[in-house]
Amino acid sequence: MNAWLVRGLGMALIHVVFRALLGAAIAQWPLQGSTLRWLSLLIVIVFAAIWGGIDGIRDRRNFPEPEDGADLTMLWLKAALVGGFVAGAASWALSLVPSLELTQQGLFFEVTSGAAFTILLIFVPAMIAITVGRFFVSREQRKNGTAPQTPTHERHREPVPVSEGYDSPTEQHAYSGVAMSVEESDADTAVFPAIDLGKREQ
């Protein structure tokens, strides 16, 4: 199973479970509804941040050079899309059960506005945590002396053979001849004896 699908389904499950717990808690303590809602949102955000932070730390440890790392942005964007739509549809379906009160909205709302809000709850904390995780690993590598010391543009530079870039050997020799002419032109100029113009006029 794809990594983004696992993360999307996992976050959707977390979201649905805590929405179910929120509905049961509000039924028991109706006066604490606002606090319970904020608490459930915070829990979903924390789960997304922890999962994203683990991905960021693992990626930077496996690939110390940023250009060689995995594209975690697209991975978590796909995961957030899956999590948002699946969580919305599942919440609406479970709300049809009389004993469960996950939502009072219709299916269209849950897979549009509700899903968009869930996508943000998953994607934004995950990306922040990925950035923070990579930053701390990079700082740890610099302290331990395990970070790459050679700049990226020098490390990836490869020597170009002299013959590369020419269409034919003839062209190569022509350019070589020009180079030799330029080098020879830099040689010391020969000194010739001065001509006495006065004697020639006599």
Side-chain angles (χ1 to χ4, degrees):
M1 187 178 293
N2 293 329
W4 56 268
L5 187 58
V6 172
R7 285 156 178 77
L9 294 178
M11 291 305 304
L13 178 62
I14 293 171
H15 187 81
V16 171
V17 168
F18 279 96
R19 285 187 71 171
L21 295 177
L22 175 63
I26 291 177
Q28 291 293 118
W29 303 285
L31 299 179
Q32 304 296 326
S34 179
T35 303
L36 294 172
R37 287 188 180 90
W38 281 108
L39 180 61
S40 62
L41 290 178
L42 181 61
I43 292 174
V44 174
I45 291 173
V46 169
F47 269 99
I50 292 175
W51 207 338
I54 293 173
D55 283 343
I57 292 172
R58 185 187 297 115
D59 180 72
R60 186 48 50 88
R61 286 179 177 174
N62 293 334
F63 304 99
E65 185 59 39
E67 295 182 356
D68 299 331
D71 188 3
L72 297 181
T73 301
M74 288 304 301
L75 184 145
W76 273 97
L77 179 58
K78 294 177 181 179
L81 291 173
V82 172
F85 288 116
V86 172
S91 298
W92 174 82
L94 292 176
S95 65
L96 300 178
V97 180
S99 59
L100 296 177
E101 296 181 2
L102 275 74
T103 181
Q104 297 179 352
Q105 305 293 336
L107 177 61
F108 180 77
F109 176 86
E110 289 295 336
V111 297
T112 53
S113 299
F117 183 67
T118 305
I119 290 170
L120 292 177
L121 288 180
I122 297 173
F123 181 71
V124 175
M127 293 309 303
I128 294 175
I130 288 170
T131 304
V132 174
R134 284 174 167 172
F135 170 78
F136 280 110
V137 173
S138 297
R139 189 176 69 171
E140 180 183 357
Q141 290 174 346
R142 287 194 296 268
K143 287 183 179 179
N144 297 335
T146 58
Q149 300 297 326
T150 307
T152 304
H153 66 279
E154 294 183 4
R155 183 167 55 256
H156 294 287
R157 181 185 300 170
E158 297 180 356
V160 180
V162 177
S163 60
E164 187 172 342
Y166 301 112
D167 296 335
S168 63
T170 304
E171 185 179 354
Q172 176 185 350
H173 291 306
Y175 279 102
S176 301
V178 173
M180 293 176 61
S181 300
V182 173
E183 292 180 357
E184 292 175 356
S185 64
D186 294 335
D188 296 336
T189 305
V191 180
F192 297 94
I195 298 175
D196 192 351
L197 297 178
K199 293 181 179 182
R200 294 183 60 181
E201 291 178 358
Q202 293 177 358

